[in-house]
C-alpha cells in the first residue's frame, strides 16, 4: 500500500512515449509570441506584464555584465513556475519532482556562475571563501567550511526544489486518500479533512510559485558575487 | 456550367462519406506537412479564442482541460 503512493512520480508511458516529454514541451504552448501590435490580447498583455515584473525584480541588483543572463534567468523562472503550477492539475505529471531534472538545471547554471567568477575576477571570487574580520586562528577551519558550503550549492538547489514539490504532492495524495476512506465511516471527520485538503491545496499553489522564485533568486545571488 | 473542385482541395466538411478514405490518403503526411497542419490548427485556435479583444478564461481553460484529459489517457494503465 505504501509503495503505491510513490507511483505518481513514475513517468507513465503510452506506446513507448513517456508523458514527461509532453509535460516538458507543453508549457511552451501556453506562452504565445507577442506580435508587433501595440495593444495585444489579454493573455499576451498579462504575460508581458509578468515578464517585466520578474525581469525588474531579478536584474536590479546585477551590474551591466549580469544583464547578459537576463534571458536565461527569466525563461528559467517562467519554465519552473509553469511546470510547478501545471503539476497541481489532476492526473498531470510534474517533471520537477524528478531529481534528475532539477540537478540538470541547477548544476550547470551554478557551475557557470562559479567559472565566470573564477575567470574574470579570480582573487575576488576566492576571497569570498573567507568572511571579513575573522580571527586569525579560525581561518583554516572557516575556509574549509566556506568551501564546503560553496560546493554543496548545486546539490541544495536541486534537492530543495525536488523535495518541496514531492512532499507537497505526497501530502495531497495522502490526505485525499484519508478523506475518501473516511467518507463512509465518519462523515464529520471526512469534512474536517476536506477543509485541511483545501488549505493544503492553497499552500501547494503558493509553494509552487515560491520554489520557482527561490531557485532563480539564489542563482542570481550566486551570479552577483561572481560577475 | 459548374466548376468541379478537386477532391484534394475540398474541405473536410464537404467531402462525402464514401470519398473519405481517398481524401485522407491524399493529405500531406510529410514532416513539413504535419508541422504545417499543427501550425494551422494552433493558429485557428489562437485567433478564435485568445487573440481577441476581450478574451476570457475559457480560452486558456480549454487548453488546460485538454491537457488533463491527455494526461489521464497516458496514465490510464497505471491507475
Amino acid at each position: 500500500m505504501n509503495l503505491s503512493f510513490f507511483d505518481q512520480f513514475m513517468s507513465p508511458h503510452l506506446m513507448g512515449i513517456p508523458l514527461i516529454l509532453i509535460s516538458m514541451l507543453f508549457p511552451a504552448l501556453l506562452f504565445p509570441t507577442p506580435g508587433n501590435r501595440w495593444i495585444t490580447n489579454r493573455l499576451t498583455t498579462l504575460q508581458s506584464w509578468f515578464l517585466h515584473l520578474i525581469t525588474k525584480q531579478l536584474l536590479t541588483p546585477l551590474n551591466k555584465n549580469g544583464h547578459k543572463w537576463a534571458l536565461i534567468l527569466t525563461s528559467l523562472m517562467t519554465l519552473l513556475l509553469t511546470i510547478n503550477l501545471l503539476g497541481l492539475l489532476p492526473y498531470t505529471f510534474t517533471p520537477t519532482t524528478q531529481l534528475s531534472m532539477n540537478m540538470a538545471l541547477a548544476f550547470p547554471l551554478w557551475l557557470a556562475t562559479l567559472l565566470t567568477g573564477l575567470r574574470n575576477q579570480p582573487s575576488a571570487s576566492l576571497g569570498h571563501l573567507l568572511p571579513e574580520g575573522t580571527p586569525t586562528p579560525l581561518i583554516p577551519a572557516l575556509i574549509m567550511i566556506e568551501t564546503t558550503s560553496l560546493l554543496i550549492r548545486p546539490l541544495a538547489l536541486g534537492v530543495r526544489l525536488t523535495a518541496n514539490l514531492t512532499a507537497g504532492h505526497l501530502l495531497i495524495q495522502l490526505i485525499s486518500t484519508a478523506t475518501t476512506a473516511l467518507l463512509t465511516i465518519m462523515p464529520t471527520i471526512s469534512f474536517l479533512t476536506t477543509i485541511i485538503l483545501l488549505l493544503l491545496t492553497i499552500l501547494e499553489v503558493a509553494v509552487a510559485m515560491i520554489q520557482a522564485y527561490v531557485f532563480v533568486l539564489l542563482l542570481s545571488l550566486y551570479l552577483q558575487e561572481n560577475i | 456550367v459548374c466548376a468541379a473542385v478537386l477532391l484534394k482541395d475540398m474541405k473536410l466538411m464537404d467531402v462525402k462519406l464514401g470519398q473519405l478514405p481517398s481524401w485522407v490518403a491524399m493529405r500531406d503526411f510529410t514532416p513539413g506537412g504535419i508541422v504545417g497542419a499543427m501550425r494551422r490548427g494552433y493558429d485557428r485556435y489562437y485567433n478564435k479564442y485568445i487573440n481577441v479583444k476581450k478574451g476570457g478564461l475559457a480560452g486558456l481553460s480549454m487548453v488546460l482541460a485538454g491537457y488533463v484529459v491527455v494526461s489521464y489517457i497516458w496514465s490510464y494503465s497505471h491507475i
Side-chain angles (χ1 to χ4, degrees):
Chain A
M1 187 57 193
N2 277 335
L3 208 53
S4 73
F5 280 127
F6 286 96
D7 283 350
Q8 61 177 316
F9 300 122
M10 289 190 335
S11 162
H13 287 242
L14 184 69
M15 300 191 288
I17 307 175
L19 184 59
I20 190 172
L21 202 65
I22 303 183
S23 322
M24 286 176 66
L25 296 174
F26 183 65
L29 270 182
L30 298 173
F31 293 95
T33 333
N36 51 2
R37 303 209 169 195
W38 185 19
I39 300 182
T40 44
N41 56 59
R42 286 178 175 180
L43 184 65
T44 311
T45 315
L46 265 174
Q47 181 188 323
S48 311
W49 163 80
F50 179 68
L51 280 177
H52 281 143
L53 184 74
I54 54 180
T55 314
K56 266 189 312 191
Q57 183 77 335
L58 286 174
L59 294 180
T60 319
L62 291 174
N63 60 16
K64 198 81 186 298
N65 276 331
H67 292 179
K68 284 189 272 193
W69 283 64
L71 186 60
I72 192 149
L73 286 177
T74 43
S75 55
L76 184 66
M77 170 81 182
T78 320
L79 177 75
L80 286 178
L81 192 66
T82 322
I83 289 186
N84 290 351
L85 286 174
L86 280 177
L88 291 169
L89 293 170
Y91 293 115
T92 44
F93 180 72
T94 327
T96 34
T97 50
Q98 309 298 310
L99 187 63
S100 51
M101 165 157 169
N102 296 341
M103 287 305 287
L105 285 172
F107 193 83
L109 290 170
W110 163 83
L111 195 63
T113 60
L114 184 67
L115 291 179
T116 317
L118 282 178
R119 185 169 166 240
N120 297 340
Q121 35 179 47
S123 9
S125 257
L126 287 174
H128 281 301
L129 289 176
L130 187 65
E132 273 186 42
T134 51
T136 326
L138 275 179
I139 291 184
L142 212 50
I143 297 215
M144 307 276 279
I145 295 176
E146 290 288 330
T147 315
T148 323
S149 100
L150 178 72
L151 294 176
I152 216 158
R153 277 176 184 177
L155 198 65
L157 273 176
V159 173
R160 180 184 304 113
L161 191 55
T162 315
N164 270 294
L165 286 173
T166 318
H169 283 239
L170 261 175
L171 265 176
I172 289 183
Q173 195 171 16
L174 282 168
I175 296 190
S176 51
T177 317
T179 316
T180 359
L182 283 173
L183 199 58
T184 45
I185 307 173
M186 291 185 280
T188 335
I189 308 288
S190 175
F191 177 67
L192 287 176
T193 332
T194 317
I195 306 272
I196 298 182
L197 190 61
L198 284 171
L199 293 175
L200 188 63
T201 316
I202 298 174
L203 177 69
E204 279 314 306
V205 173
V207 165
M209 298 193 279
I210 292 172
Q211 285 306 316
Y213 176 62
V214 160
F215 192 94
V216 182
L217 182 70
L218 282 175
L219 269 179
S220 76
L221 280 173
Y222 301 154
L223 186 63
Q224 264 173 272
E225 290 181 350
N226 281 317
I227 202 153
Chain B
V1 181
C2 63
V5 184
L6 283 172
L7 185 60
K8 187 167 82 74
D9 293 328
M10 282 168 72
K11 290 194 191 177
L12 180 57
M13 287 295 140
D14 299 327
V15 170
K16 307 274 183 262
L17 208 56
Q19 296 169 314
L20 196 57
S22 33
W23 182 85
V24 172
M26 280 198 234
R27 300 294 291 172
D28 188 6
F29 284 115
T30 63
I34 293 186
V35 168
M38 289 171 78
R39 165 65 46 188
R40 281 196 308 271
Y42 175 81
D43 286 341
R44 240 173 82 184
Y45 186 87
Y46 183 66
N47 287 325
K48 182 167 181 195
Y49 289 107
I50 306 198
N51 203 10
V52 290
K53 209 166 176 182
K54 296 178 75 173
L57 203 54
L60 188 63
S61 316
M62 282 195 278
V63 179
L64 293 180
Y67 179 56
V68 170
V69 169
V70 168
S71 308
Y72 177 71
I73 294 173
W74 235 263
S75 6
Y76 183 66
S77 50
H78 295 255
I79 297 176

